[in-house]
Amino acid sequence: MRRFAIFFILITAILIAGCVKEESKTGYVEIKDMAGRTVKIPEKIERVATLFPANLRIIVMLNATDKVVGISNYSIRHNKLN
């Protein structure tokens, strides 16, 4: 039983160590999009402009409205901001 406990603790420690996020030295995060292109995105987002009303809803849900600097005319024209 004691060997099992030691083995379990060792495996858990290895799994947790594998999940540690590596710090980026460039200030960017690289993401591969659905078309297979590599896109660089800054780690810290300061401003956001959205052209799709559903994205604006997600930004509101994330409580990040202070970062929004532009929205589409659709939201203004159809009074979707209320």
Side-chain angles (χ1 to χ4, degrees):
M1 184 68 177
R2 182 177 167 97
R3 286 185 184 179
F4 177 74
I6 292 172
F7 177 74
F8 181 74
I9 291 171
L10 181 65
I11 294 298
T12 304
I14 290 171
L15 289 175
I16 291 173
C19 295
V20 175
K21 181 183 172 189
E22 292 184 26
E23 293 296 322
S24 174
K25 294 166 185 63
T26 61
Y28 289 93
V29 176
E30 288 190 5
I31 297 175
K32 192 173 232 181
D33 67 5
M34 292 174 59
R37 299 172 294 211
T38 302
V39 180
K40 288 184 179 181
I41 299 174
E43 284 183 353
K44 185 168 173 84
I45 304 297
E46 299 292 331
R47 299 177 299 160
V48 177
T50 178
L51 301 176
F52 193 59
N55 291 343
L56 183 59
R57 288 187 201 107
I58 293 170
I59 292 169
V60 170
M61 287 183 236
L62 292 172
N63 198 21
T65 55
D66 59 323
K67 301 204 183 282
V68 176
V69 294
I71 59 173
S72 69
N73 286 340
Y74 180 88
S75 297
I76 296 169
R77 211 171 339 143
H78 298 294
N79 200 17
K80 297 290 183 179
L81 297 175
N82 295 334

